[in-house]
Amino acid sequence: MNNQDMANRDLAVLWHPCTQMKDHEHLPMIPIKAGQGVWLEDFDGNRYLDAISSWWVNLFGHANSAIIAALKDQLDTLEHVIFAGFTHESGIRLAEKLVEISPVGLTRCFYADNGSAAVEVALKMSFHYWRNQGQTQKTKFMTLENSYHGETLGALAVGNVALYKETYAPLLMEVITVPGPDCYHCEPGESWADYSTRRFALMDAALQQHADSVCAVIIEPLVQCAGSMRMYDAVYLSLLREACDKYGVHLIADEIAVGFGRTGTLFACEQAGISPDFMCLSKGLTGGYLPLSAVLTTDRVYQAFYDDYTKLSAFLHSHSYTGNALACRAGLATINIFQQQAVIETNRSLAVALTNAAARFHGHPHVAEVRQTGMIVAIELVKNKQTREPYPWQERRGLKVYTYGLSQGVLLRPLGNVIYFMPPYIITEAELELLAEVAWQGIQYAVSN
Ligand code: PMP
């Protein structure tokens, strides 16, 4: 079997996510045979550096021996069991760990099996909490411009990226969308902290106006990842926590993409010293091995559901694979690596290496901004550096960087015209250099073709 054979078989029967399948008339489908560390290998023996951690899930590399050993042991013991009325050791131990490592006050863990499902759970729990409290007028959610929270209908409704949302608008619940703190738009010389503080006034005004009908504000702390990796300062989170308390509204922190060390702390909320009412986790939760998500919440929320069955106040949400034992065990193995290898500390020097590798892009005539938060660097390509006029999206410049990257053995799947590095934490400085060099050449190719 070679790449061509596998691609032909794939294209005969499969329909891939986030893909215009017709693109594959000219874009190669890359069948991956195996992964090792930051490298993926196709059926023709070509290797690709996984610079985006396979959609931000992989933290410690492909074929990580510690996670594999834990999974093999789990497989020999218990693969899965119904999680209503029944429980299992890995599910219990992972919840204990998550409660231990998450911001103070988050003491309850509810499992689901992907990020969007976790967002649905948090939205429903928040709404249902207020209902159980007799506050039935609270039925709305507040979200930020340019946010992304997943693609099931509830999660899509609280997101704001037009590309994913617009088509389905007639199906979606109405939300209150507030202009965001995206620091790409700060004035020359204005700090991220100042801009984020200034923009918070709009959120405060919206909360003041709508608090009576709002269950929760949902945000991606520090980085709006699917929204072009736009970033903002932690002060916004501190102000938001204060305001949510003041106006009696929940705060849902969607840490699905930024959790588990991505922003330089284990959870992004830590940088503001805040605890949300709900924290959604997925992606890195299992080190990128198996689908799993968790919603952590407070005892206060939990107690609002805890009553006699006949009161009908229970949270009856369920998924068949809730608390899958294999996935929970992968989660435990992942957290174990964080604790045994002082990953957050090690990542500090890796983040500096990322800064250095990305330094060359600042001066590029078609780069409007190079921004970084922890282990994420984003490079915004524009047609005109002075006016920041974007390239027309139809030109698909980012896609050219992607195809160039593949030809050089680097997987750099962009977000529109934003090229970003979000590598597994085991990447070496030499590999980072390679990544930056290929991205540089790819950008040269993309802006001149
Ligand atoms: N929230 C955020 C912040 C995300 O980045 C994503 C996925 N990119 C999701 C939710 C949805 O997760 P999933 O793809 O597992 O449904």
Side-chain angles (χ1 to χ4, degrees), residues 56 114-116 148-150 220 254 256-257 283:
W56 328 336
N114 63 73
S116 304
Y148 178 95
H149 297 288
E220 296 158 274
D254 175 353
I256 288 162
K283 292 193 186 271

Side-chain angles (χ1 to χ4, degrees), residues 215-232:
C215 304
V217 178
I218 181 165
I219 43 120
E220 296 158 274
L222 301 185
V223 188
Q224 296 187 314
C225 293
S228 303
M229 297 290 166
R230 294 292 177 80
M231 300 173 183
Y232 61 93

Side-chain angles (χ1 to χ4, degrees), residues 16-20 55 151 164 413:
H16 286 263
C18 205
T19 301
Q20 170 48 268
W55 262 345
E151 310 213 16
Y164 310 120
R413 189 185 160 99

Side-chain angles (χ1 to χ4, degrees), residues 177-215:
T177 307
V178 179
D182 168 7
C183 291
Y184 184 67
H185 302 296
C186 63
E187 294 295 326
E190 188 176 28
S191 72
W192 280 15
D194 286 349
Y195 184 71
S196 301
T197 306
R198 177 156 71 82
R199 295 291 282 184
F200 186 76
L202 298 163
M203 171 59 84
D204 193 76
L207 274 168
Q208 192 170 15
Q209 188 184 347
H210 299 290
D212 282 354
S213 63
V214 170
C215 304

Side-chain angles (χ1 to χ4, degrees), residues 123-196:
L123 297 174
K124 284 177 70 179
M125 262 186 192
S126 173
F127 162 80
H128 200 160
Y129 167 90
W130 295 114
R131 191 173 189 275
N132 284 354
Q133 300 287 94
Q135 301 225 38
T136 49
Q137 82 289 356
K138 280 187 179 279
T139 57
K140 292 212 157 59
F141 294 94
M142 206 177 260
T143 183
L144 292 178
E145 236 174 21
N146 192 46
S147 58
Y148 178 95
H149 297 288
E151 310 213 16
T152 52
L153 295 179
L156 197 58
V158 295
N160 186 245
V161 178
L163 181 63
Y164 310 120
K165 183 168 181 177
E166 224 162 62
T167 309
Y168 307 101
L171 306 181
L172 305 178
M173 67 174 163
E174 252 181 60
V175 298
I176 299 161
T177 307
V178 179
D182 168 7
C183 291
Y184 184 67
H185 302 296
C186 63
E187 294 295 326
E190 188 176 28
S191 72
W192 280 15
D194 286 349
Y195 184 71
S196 301

